[in-house]
Amino acid sequence: IFSFDLQEIDHGVKNGSGTGSMSWDSSIVMGLYFAANPDELRGNILELGSGVGLGGILSNAVTKNSTNTSARVQNSFTLTDVNDDVLDMLRKNTHAAAFNDDMVFIKKLDWFDFLGDSKETKPNSQLKEYERYDTIIASDCAYLHSQIDPLSETILKLLDRDDGGSKLHMFAPYNRGVVHDLVEQLHGKNMHVQLEELEMSKYRIKREVQFEKLHWNADMAVSNDDDMTCSISKFLHITAWHKTMVEIADDVHIVIHDAMTDID
């Protein structure tokens, strides 16, 4: 059993620390997904928009503690955000979670630095454009339309280009419109994109029920359903990876062929 005390930033959203100052359900969904699929986390891993760290900490912990012998080796795990207050809290939470691994890094990353073609170190980021990662993960990090272009460029430039083994895994509420805009952006940047619908059941103990009087079964679950309420939320799991040069060339050939057919 893995446990730690996660701290959030009080009133951070209102006081300028942004949405990364608190935790969101998509972080839990991401952690549960990688607990069931630890082999999807491989090589050098980068988390975008880590916030206070719940998603990244869970994902790293469940794979390290996994008994799945097919899980691939992790070389490094880099958690990122842009807000300095959020980064400070992220460091505190990773310390509380006993992340003493020399291959776990916390770095500042501004997606807007990756707009354009400059190869130099980005002014607000501690990552370089020529760095490449085998796995990029993110949960609930896209809220505004203005973020979609820089976010997609960051993914495009930092995700390694290999034979399809390097992948983006992003988790978000199913009905968030900007996420679907991001999918279109990734399609337009010569990436394969797959969508998967996930559901998470959320159980809450009823307010009138006293915690110390709850009945627990052998699996440490509340045995009396009358003591709880249950709701189901839907989430979107986006998987994306670069097309090969052959696939891009084939796409161009098809477009040219279709255009010539229209002329004829």
Side-chain angles (χ1 to χ4, degrees):
I1 297 176
F2 171 75
S3 65
F4 71 102
D5 292 328
L6 182 86
Q7 297 185 59
E8 298 179 336
I9 301 174
D10 292 339
H11 309 295
V13 176
K14 294 182 179 180
N15 295 338
S17 297
T19 53
S21 60
M22 59 184 296
S23 302
W24 304 91
D25 286 345
S26 296
S27 300
I28 301 174
V29 172
M30 183 170 74
L32 292 172
Y33 176 84
F34 288 126
N37 304 276
D39 55 316
E40 293 290 348
L41 284 174
R42 58 179 289 269
N44 295 314
I45 302 165
L46 171 69
E47 184 183 23
L48 302 176
S50 299
V52 293
L54 179 59
I57 291 172
L58 288 177
S59 299
N60 191 42
V62 296
T63 52
K64 283 187 177 298
N65 295 326
S66 173
T67 57
N68 187 341
T69 56
S70 65
R72 302 175 187 175
V73 176
Q74 295 180 24
N75 295 330
S76 68
F77 203 113
T78 303
L79 299 90
T80 67
D81 210 282
V82 67
N83 184 277
D84 291 331
D85 292 333
V86 172
L87 286 167
D88 287 342
M89 187 61 73
L90 177 59
R91 292 185 185 94
K92 292 178 182 178
N93 285 328
T94 53
H95 179 73
F99 270 27
N100 300 319
D101 194 326
D102 291 338
M103 298 307 292
V104 174
F105 306 98
I106 298 174
K107 294 186 178 183
K108 186 170 186 174
L109 175 61
D110 188 343
W111 306 335
F112 285 86
D113 287 346
F114 287 80
L115 291 174
D117 298 324
S118 173
K119 300 291 185 182
E120 298 178 358
T121 302
K122 301 307 178 181
N124 295 319
S125 300
Q126 294 175 306
L127 298 183
K128 299 179 177 63
E129 190 170 306
Y130 57 75
E131 294 186 39
R132 294 293 181 269
Y133 292 87
D134 303 294
T135 307
I136 295 180
I137 66 174
S139 62
D140 218 348
C141 67
Y143 287 86
L144 304 174
H145 286 281
S146 60
Q147 298 173 331
I148 298 305
D149 194 29
L151 175 56
S152 63
E153 279 295 307
T154 302
I155 294 168
L156 181 72
K157 291 173 179 176
L158 293 181
L159 183 65
D160 195 20
R161 297 175 181 269
D162 59 8
D163 59 357
S166 297
K167 292 182 179 179
L168 162 77
H169 292 277
M170 179 175 287
F171 302 81
Y174 185 82
N175 59 352
R176 179 162 296 155
V178 293
V179 175
H180 297 276
D181 294 339
L182 175 64
V183 170
E184 293 302 315
Q185 283 264 16
L186 296 177
H187 270 302
K189 296 180 185 296
N190 291 319
M191 298 189 77
H192 290 291
V193 182
Q194 289 183 344
L195 304 180
E196 177 185 12
E197 182 180 319
L198 302 175
E199 290 186 347
M200 181 174 69
S201 299
K202 296 188 293 184
Y203 294 89
R204 286 186 170 86
I205 299 171
K206 293 179 180 179
R207 184 173 299 179
E208 63 271 17
V209 176
Q210 296 181 9
F211 184 84
E212 60 273 13
K213 294 184 178 181
L214 289 172
H215 298 284
W216 304 86
N217 60 25
D219 297 322
M220 293 304 294
V222 177
S223 57
N224 186 359
D225 291 341
D226 293 335
D227 292 338
M228 301 178 298
T229 60
C230 176
S231 62
I232 299 176
S233 299
K234 291 185 177 182
F235 297 84
L236 198 63
H237 172 212
I238 302 168
T239 309
W241 64 97
H242 291 291
K243 291 183 179 180
T244 65
M245 295 305 296
V246 173
E247 290 172 325
I248 294 172
D250 288 343
D251 290 344
V252 172
H253 174 75
I254 292 171
V255 171
I256 293 175
H257 180 270
D258 290 345
M260 294 301 294
T261 302
D262 291 340
I263 293 174
D264 293 341

